[in-house]
Amino acid sequence: MKNSCVLLLLLLTLKVSTGRPAFAQTRPADSLRRLLSTQPRADTMRVRRLHALINELAANNTPQAIGLSKQALTLSRRLADTVGIGRSLLWLSILHRRQEQFAAARHYTIQARELFARSHDRRREARACMELSLIDVQQSQSTSALAWALRGLPLAEQAQDVGLQAQLRGTIGSIYYQIGDYASALPMLRTALRDGQQLGDLQVVSAVLNNLASLYQTQRKWSQARRYYQRAVTVSRQMGDVQNEISNEIGLAEVYAEQGNQTRAWEHSQQARILMRTSGDYYNLPAVELMLARAFLLNRQPDSAVVLAQRGMQLSQMTRRNGSISNAADILAQAHAALGDFKAAYEHQRLFSSYQDTLAGETTQRQTSALRYGYELDKKQNQIALLNQTRQLQIQKSARQRQQLYALLAGLAGTVLLAGLLWRNVYIKQRANRHLNEKNAEIARQRDDLTRALAELKAAQNQLIQREKMASLGELTAGIAHEIQNPLNFVNNFSEVSVELVEEFMDGPWQQLPEAEKAYATELLASLTQNLQKITQHGHRADGIVKGMLQHSHVSSGERDAIDLNALVAEHLAMAYQGFRAQHHDFSATLTSNLDAQVPKVLLVPQDVGRVLLNLFANAFYTLLERLSRDEPDYAPVLTVLTKRLPGEVQIRVHDNGLGMSEEIQSKIFQPFFTTKPPGEGTGLGLSLSYDIIVKGHGGTLTVSSREGQGTEVTIGLPC
């Protein structure tokens, strides 16, 4: 749905530029024409009427709107009307961008931005920055688009224009999503949605809801994706915005198709087609064609998938939509591979990879990370400068107070000399000293507060730099894993296809060989089949490692909640036992739970800790099954789970009477890729990821105690 997100951003510019939805309004346009004809006086009022007429004609008569914008620009320059010049330039930019004349659009917008910057009009300068960002978005120039949007956001904040801030944050969040930076996209989009709802701005709300739905769809969080798409459909219908409604219906169809619910997917795709026919909107036609092509591919109808995907690619190439071209190439590669046309599959896979690199390459990720870091660093530096200025003002105030105090003392001394009253002189001096000590103490406290604030800011800055370094390392790991994934998929696919070809040969041409050659051919084909099966086995092993690397490099963005730890442990123990027995029907074990009722609710991310518990329980069941398979007399598998409240923390202990581990294995158990399981049964990343979640993510402890032949105990400590 990335192309739909871009469309929603571009539709949002009508709201940004005109202040209301773009639709034909014949009567207001005719009234404005009559006013311009009957009142030909060349003044600023005529400029405003020209802009109002441009607003009415922009959606349906772009050439005439461009001509009127040029008239307004000429008249504004003659009148030296700065606001009129800027608005005329922005209208020319928007109208040329809609006609995909990007060079002219950029030229007019840059002129408008420079004009607003010279006149210190922060609000309109921010609008010009947003227009430049949208021009780059439409050309798939993510880095430049993000730079302009981040440049415009502080200007909108200075102008205190909450509506423009919401639009810019929606744009920034959409760009982050386009380049795959979901961790940065989510908070931006949520903030934009909150502001749009508070302002009652349905255009912003509709666009952000679609972006959030697409983000959750990409992360395969189906329930959240469906909920946001359905909300977006409702808002689009409230506004009468058919284009957005079509886009969201397509999104719902894609979600249901990816979940395998072809009936619901077909219903929503048909609804999208009906809306397109009734409204005459064919912008979304490539997305509908590609969605149906993927549905045919999932239903194992590659011939139909090829026809629809080729048509979708042709339409996407005509409109220069790189995201749709990439999607079409991916579908064609899989469909041709299913048909056995591996040459065509390889060519389309190369095309898909090149577009993926263009849309979200490593260079783009580094550049956008640098832009985001620069934006955050500028905010911190501004805070530091403000604190330094406050400290200087305080020092000056203290100096003035000291001068005033000295003058007061001098005056009092003169009064004492003139009056000759020694007792009054002593009293006045004592009072002055007390006041001076209080002022000094107050100044010292303020100085200490400023020093502490500056230290905290420096620590926050260092933490931000370290976080960016870790994020870059995670992005590098994820990038490497993604690059390995594509060739690995081809290895697995082609090895499986090759096994099928050998079986077809054994069923067909092999029967026609002379009996003297059959034995030799059989031996060769058996060896070839065995080699291909080994390739498949180790390919799936490598695929598991790559997925583990992706999961290991993922930084959880879940929010912490106060969770009943005993309920969480009991729920995941039952879940793990049922799942293990589903794979090993003959396995059974005695489960013993001793859950401390005094354990309080713990602040944690339930999804992450639940994943750790599932991994520990699965490992315990595995070692119990291994020992059970040795047929030891009087052996009964037992798994014991305990929770306990301790001072400052709660503990979860998982004890099994399985095979146990040696000290050498225990020293390596938390290392990535280290596993004691046979090849194909483990990636070696489960305990490493569990260690990161508990120790690094929650500030807890994770330890293992084991003896060979007697069992293993894993202890989790969580702060409370």
Side-chain angles (χ1 to χ4, degrees):
M1 288 300 296
K2 288 188 178 182
N3 292 314
S4 300
C5 295
V6 174
L7 172 61
L8 289 172
L9 273 177
L10 300 178
L11 291 174
L12 181 60
T13 59
L14 289 173
K15 171 82 169 57
V16 172
S17 304
T18 67
R20 55 187 174 80
F23 50 85
Q25 297 185 6
T26 305
R27 291 181 179 176
D30 292 339
S31 299
L32 288 167
R33 286 192 182 96
R34 283 194 297 270
L35 284 172
L36 290 168
S37 176
T38 57
Q39 300 180 16
R41 183 178 178 181
D43 54 8
T44 55
M45 179 58 69
R46 184 174 182 82
V47 174
R48 304 298 180 264
R49 287 170 178 167
L50 284 170
H51 287 157
L53 182 56
I54 294 166
N55 191 25
E56 299 297 332
L57 300 175
N60 301 303
N61 195 339
T62 302
Q64 187 176 356
I66 290 175
L68 292 171
S69 299
K70 290 180 178 179
Q71 290 181 29
L73 178 60
T74 302
L75 180 57
S76 299
R77 284 174 171 166
R78 193 193 319 162
L79 298 171
D81 179 8
T82 303
V83 175
I85 294 171
R87 292 187 64 185
S88 301
L89 290 169
L90 280 180
W91 267 119
L92 285 168
S93 171
I94 293 169
L95 294 168
H96 281 90
R97 174 170 54 75
R98 291 180 194 168
Q99 293 189 325
E100 297 185 348
Q101 297 175 5
F102 301 117
R106 191 183 302 277
H107 171 74
Y108 287 119
T109 311
I110 289 174
Q111 288 187 49
R113 191 194 68 81
E114 291 174 351
L115 175 66
F116 295 137
R118 286 194 301 270
S119 61
H120 304 287
D121 190 339
R122 298 290 183 246
R123 183 173 62 86
R124 290 189 173 88
E125 186 181 357
R127 288 191 181 278
C129 290
M130 182 171 180
E131 175 64 17
L132 286 167
S133 176
L134 292 171
I135 292 170
D136 288 327
V137 166
Q138 203 164 346
Q139 294 181 285
S140 298
Q141 297 176 4
S142 302
T143 303
S144 178
L146 182 59
W148 281 116
L150 288 175
R151 190 168 181 176
L153 183 56
L155 295 172
E157 291 173 345
Q158 293 172 19
Q160 298 181 349
D161 190 334
V162 180
L164 184 55
Q165 291 176 40
Q167 295 156 10
L168 281 163
R169 288 194 178 97
T171 303
I172 294 169
S174 177
I175 297 171
Y176 279 145
Y177 165 64
Q178 292 290 314
I179 64 176
D181 188 356
Y182 306 133
S184 300
L186 190 59
M188 275 289 180
L189 292 173
R190 284 178 173 170
T191 303
L193 179 60
R194 180 201 63 198
D195 293 342
Q197 289 173 334
Q198 290 177 353
L199 294 169
D201 192 333
L202 296 182
Q203 287 280 0
V204 172
V205 171
S206 175
V208 176
L209 285 173
N210 181 274
N211 276 281
L212 285 168
S214 300
L215 189 151
Y216 284 120
Q217 179 184 352
T218 304
Q219 294 180 325
R220 306 181 71 81
K221 296 180 180 179
W222 309 121
S223 60
Q224 293 97 321
R226 288 198 308 270
R227 184 168 67 254
Y228 280 105
Y229 276 133
Q230 288 165 352
R231 289 176 60 185
V233 167
T234 302
V235 174
S236 299
R237 288 174 180 169
Q238 289 177 3
M239 296 187 298
D241 190 344
V242 178
Q243 281 187 311
N244 283 0
E245 186 179 353
I246 292 171
S247 174
N248 292 309
E249 288 289 349
I250 294 171
L252 283 168
E254 289 181 350
V255 170
Y256 281 116
E258 289 173 358
Q259 289 185 280
N261 190 341
Q262 301 302 325
T263 302
R264 296 299 303 275
W266 181 259
E267 291 175 2
H268 287 285
S269 63
Q270 287 297 101
Q271 179 65 18
R273 281 188 165 185
I274 293 171
L275 289 171
M276 280 193 293
R277 290 194 189 100
T278 56
S279 65
D281 169 31
Y282 293 98
Y283 184 90
N284 287 299
L285 184 58
V288 175
E289 299 287 354
L290 295 177
M291 184 274 297
L292 291 174
R294 194 171 291 279
F296 279 118
L297 185 62
L298 293 173
N299 286 332
R300 298 183 180 179
Q301 299 179 23
D303 292 327
S304 301
V306 167
V307 173
L308 288 170
Q310 286 177 342
R311 190 161 58 195
M313 176 174 281
Q314 291 172 358
L315 294 171
S316 301
Q317 288 171 338
M318 291 170 61
T319 56
R320 308 177 192 175
R321 295 166 65 183
N322 292 344
S324 294
I325 296 172
S326 173
N327 189 17
D330 182 30
I331 296 172
L332 287 170
Q334 297 183 47
H336 282 299
L339 291 170
D341 189 354
F342 302 113
K343 181 178 179 181
Y346 176 72
E347 292 297 327
H348 285 98
Q349 182 63 27
R350 287 183 58 191
L351 179 62
F352 169 72
S353 298
S354 65
Y355 273 98
Q356 287 297 105
D357 291 340
T358 300
L359 292 172
E362 182 180 342
T363 301
T364 301
Q365 292 284 354
R366 286 200 303 269
Q367 291 174 345
T368 54
S369 295
L371 287 171
R372 184 174 66 253
Y373 170 71
Y375 170 72
E376 296 293 338
L377 186 58
D378 286 342
K379 291 181 67 176
K380 293 295 182 184
Q381 288 176 343
N382 288 336
Q383 293 175 359
I384 292 172
L386 180 60
L387 283 174
N388 288 333
Q389 184 180 5
T390 303
R391 184 173 61 179
Q392 292 296 328
L393 291 173
Q394 191 65 38
I395 292 172
Q396 293 174 6
K397 182 179 179 181
S398 299
R400 288 195 301 270
Q401 289 175 345
R402 284 196 299 271
Q403 292 174 0
Q404 292 172 359
L405 181 60
Y406 295 151
L408 178 61
L409 289 174
L412 288 174
T415 302
V416 170
L417 291 174
L418 291 174
L421 300 174
L422 183 59
W423 65 269
R424 184 174 178 82
N425 183 35
V426 173
Y427 173 75
I428 291 174
K429 284 185 178 180
Q430 290 177 346
R431 186 177 62 182
N433 288 333
R434 187 169 57 251
H435 183 66
L436 179 60
N437 290 333
E438 291 174 355
K439 288 294 183 181
N440 289 336
E442 181 181 357
I443 292 170
R445 285 196 302 272
Q446 293 175 349
R447 183 192 62 230
D448 293 341
D449 291 341
L450 288 173
T451 303
R452 184 169 56 255
L454 183 60
E456 290 174 354
L457 283 174
K458 288 183 178 179
Q461 186 177 14
N462 292 334
Q463 185 180 8
L464 178 61
I465 294 172
Q466 183 65 23
R467 190 177 299 167
E468 287 297 328
K469 290 181 179 178
M470 294 304 295
S472 298
L473 180 60
E475 291 169 0
L476 178 61
T477 302
I480 293 172
H482 279 299
E483 289 299 321
I484 294 174
Q485 189 75 50
N486 288 335
L488 184 60
N489 288 339
F490 271 91
V491 169
N492 291 337
N493 292 339
F494 283 116
S495 63
E496 293 172 357
V497 171
S498 299
V499 171
E500 295 175 359
L501 291 175
V502 170
E503 292 174 355
E504 291 179 3
F505 179 80
M506 293 290 290
D507 294 336
W510 180 83
Q511 302 292 340
Q512 301 175 6
L513 292 176
E515 292 296 328
E517 298 180 2
K518 278 187 176 181
Y520 180 68
T522 300
E523 182 179 355
L524 289 178
L525 290 173
S527 298
L528 178 59
T529 302
Q530 185 177 6
N531 291 341
L532 290 171
Q533 290 173 347
K534 288 291 184 181
I535 292 172
T536 302
Q537 177 185 352
H538 291 285
H540 288 303
R541 162 74 169 159
D543 182 64
I545 292 173
V546 168
K547 291 178 179 177
M549 289 173 64
L550 286 171
Q551 190 179 34
H552 199 274
S553 65
H554 172 69
V555 179
S556 174
S557 60
E559 296 181 355
R560 298 191 182 190
D561 293 321
I563 299 299
D564 185 347
L565 192 63
N566 288 338
L568 185 70
V569 171
E571 177 186 358
H572 286 81
L573 176 59
M575 189 187 307
Y577 185 61
Q578 292 172 4
F580 194 81
R581 291 199 64 190
Q583 297 178 356
H584 306 280
H585 302 289
D586 297 330
F587 174 79
S588 65
T590 301
L591 305 182
T592 303
S593 299
N594 186 1
L595 306 180
D596 187 357
Q598 300 300 320
V599 171
K601 289 189 176 183
V602 183
L603 194 64
L604 50 80
V605 182
Q607 297 85 356
D608 290 352
V609 176
R611 181 165 49 179
V612 172
L613 292 173
L614 288 176
N615 183 63
L616 296 181
F617 294 149
N619 288 342
F621 291 140
Y622 182 87
T623 188
L624 293 176
L625 179 63
E626 286 292 305
R627 186 172 179 180
L628 190 64
S629 65
R630 296 187 178 185
D631 296 327
E632 297 179 9
D634 300 327
Y635 172 71
V638 177
L639 177 66
T640 304
V641 181
L642 303 93
T643 61
K644 188 175 182 180
R645 179 177 184 177
L646 297 175
E649 73 169 7
V650 293
Q651 282 190 352
I652 305 171
R653 295 183 180 180
V654 181
H655 181 271
D656 65 75
N657 64 341
L659 295 175
M661 295 179 289
S662 65
E663 292 182 359
E664 180 182 0
I665 292 178
Q666 291 180 56
S667 64
K668 302 177 181 179
I669 199 68
F670 295 118
Q671 295 179 5
F673 303 106
F674 178 81
T675 179
T676 59
K677 297 180 182 178
E681 294 189 18
T683 63
L685 289 172
L687 284 175
S688 173
L689 181 60
S690 299
Y691 186 87
D692 287 348
I693 290 173
I694 297 299
V695 178
K696 299 179 182 179
H698 291 78
T701 59
L702 182 62
T703 58
V704 174
S705 175
S706 180
R707 295 182 65 182
E708 287 188 273
Q710 296 186 17
T712 302
E713 181 174 276
V714 182
T715 303
I716 298 174
L718 293 171
C720 65

